[in-house]
Amino acid sequence: MSSTTTVAPRRRMSAGRWFTELGWRHVVGVVFVIYAVFPIVYIISASLSEGGTLTGSNDLFSSISGSNYAALGDTRFWSWALNSVQIAVVTSIGTVLMGAAAAYAFSRFRFTGRRVGLTTLLIVQMFPQMLAFVAIFLLLISFGQVVPALGLNSKIALICVYLGGALGVNTFLMYGFFNTVPRELDEAAKIDGATHSQTYWTIILRLVTPILAVVALLSIIATFGEFVIARVLLQSEGNWTLAVGLYSWVSSLLEANWGLFAAGAVISTIPILALFLFLQKYIVGGLTAGSVKG
């Protein structure tokens, strides 16, 4: 005996209901995409313009030439790019190592001043590092008289300044992620005879890879494009970063070459974009996992 089942026809959603529930999201998405893409299209058009002025690039891609990119070879652009990469990479490595060690200590150990230390980090990160550039300038003048490598016009000194400013916010970010790692893993490793150092380097760090990647990415982005502190501390043209060097091309209104500036800006975004695409799978997990358990 066979039985037949009838499937009710699926009712189509009306246009008004579709727009109310889903359509408006597409409209908002398109608006934000246009808002984000237009400056990129404009700067690319300016980099391909021979005129060297932004007003001459109002007609997008009216003239296309690679002369601005070719002219970068006759400048210190690649030297500035190398300086920026060196500073950003060393700063990100130092930030990850220092922040992870501090977050592990706050997460796993109980000691006097722990709560006060966490509160202090939270308060300190509320003030941008840029507010202290006068104090940093005077401090490095004094350091330079004793240890020249830590004085003004030193990339090492600039890296130390960046590390000091990034420790608070990154420690707090990692602290929430470290709390999601079960303490039973530490106890099991301790029973097997592992020390705190062995547990930290061989077990914990492997489990918190997403947040390490996020912190490294954020550190590179922040230091690669930082301008104010780098402009104050780095005085010789050979030690300039990309942000400082590109600004020097347009700082004089009478001699500003916006075409060369735009070409350098386009090229400088490539390594950051490539790194972001490479680490994007860690970003969502690294930023949200720490909010599950505090």
Side-chain angles (χ1 to χ4, degrees), residues 20-68:
T20 303
E21 296 183 2
L22 298 175
W24 66 271
R25 302 179 184 179
H26 296 277
V27 174
V28 173
V30 170
V31 171
F32 275 98
V33 168
I34 295 176
Y35 179 80
V37 170
F38 178 76
I40 300 176
V41 174
Y42 190 86
I43 199 69
I44 293 177
S45 175
S47 68
L48 296 175
S49 176
E50 295 185 11
T53 61
L54 290 182
T55 56
S57 303
N58 289 333
D59 297 331
L60 297 179
F61 302 103
S62 59
S63 64
I64 298 178
S65 172
S67 59
N68 290 321

Side-chain angles (χ1 to χ4, degrees), residues 24-270:
W24 66 271
R25 302 179 184 179
H26 296 277
V27 174
V28 173
V30 170
V31 171
F32 275 98
V33 168
I34 295 176
Y35 179 80
V37 170
F38 178 76
I40 300 176
V41 174
Y42 190 86
I43 199 69
I44 293 177
S45 175
S47 68
L48 296 175
S49 176
E50 295 185 11
T53 61
L54 290 182
T55 56
S57 303
N58 289 333
D59 297 331
L60 297 179
F61 302 103
S62 59
S63 64
I64 298 178
S65 172
S67 59
N68 290 321
Y69 292 93
L72 292 177
D74 300 328
T75 66
R76 290 181 176 267
F77 174 81
W78 299 110
S79 175
W80 297 337
L82 181 60
N83 292 338
S84 295
V85 170
Q86 291 176 344
I87 293 173
V89 170
V90 174
T91 301
S92 66
I93 294 175
T95 298
V96 169
L97 294 178
M98 293 171 59
Y104 177 74
F106 282 119
S107 176
R108 289 300 193 264
F109 302 143
R110 296 297 179 267
F111 51 88
T112 303
R114 172 179 173 272
R115 186 174 299 275
V116 175
L118 287 172
T119 305
T120 303
L121 288 176
L122 181 62
I123 295 175
V124 169
Q125 71 180 2
M126 296 172 60
F127 301 93
Q129 191 181 25
M130 186 177 62
L131 295 178
F133 73 89
V134 175
I136 294 173
F137 179 81
L138 298 176
L139 183 64
L140 292 185
I141 290 178
S142 301
F143 278 168
Q145 297 175 356
V146 180
V147 183
L150 295 179
L152 293 177
N153 198 34
S154 170
K155 291 184 286 188
I156 297 177
L158 182 62
I159 292 173
C160 292
V161 172
Y162 287 156
L163 289 176
L167 181 60
V169 59
N170 291 321
T171 298
F172 225 89
L173 184 63
M174 291 184 182
Y175 169 74
F177 199 99
F178 272 78
N179 285 340
T180 64
V181 179
R183 294 180 180 273
E184 288 77 8
L185 295 177
D186 300 50
E187 297 174 358
K190 185 177 181 180
I191 293 175
D192 291 338
T195 62
H196 287 297
S197 177
Q198 292 173 331
T199 302
Y200 173 75
W201 289 105
T202 60
I203 299 177
I204 302 299
L205 286 187
R206 295 184 180 181
L207 297 177
V208 297
T209 300
I211 194 62
L212 300 183
V214 169
V215 170
L217 177 62
L218 295 179
S219 176
I220 289 178
I221 293 175
T223 56
F224 193 85
E226 199 279 327
F227 170 76
V228 176
I229 296 179
R231 182 66 182 89
V232 172
L233 301 186
L234 301 179
Q235 300 176 341
S236 65
E237 188 175 353
N239 287 336
W240 283 355
T241 59
L242 265 179
V244 179
L246 293 181
Y247 171 76
S248 68
W249 288 345
V250 295
S251 58
S252 176
L253 297 179
L254 297 179
E255 300 178 0
N257 191 333
W258 290 100
L260 199 63
F261 174 87
V266 171
I267 293 180
S268 64
T269 60
I270 295 177

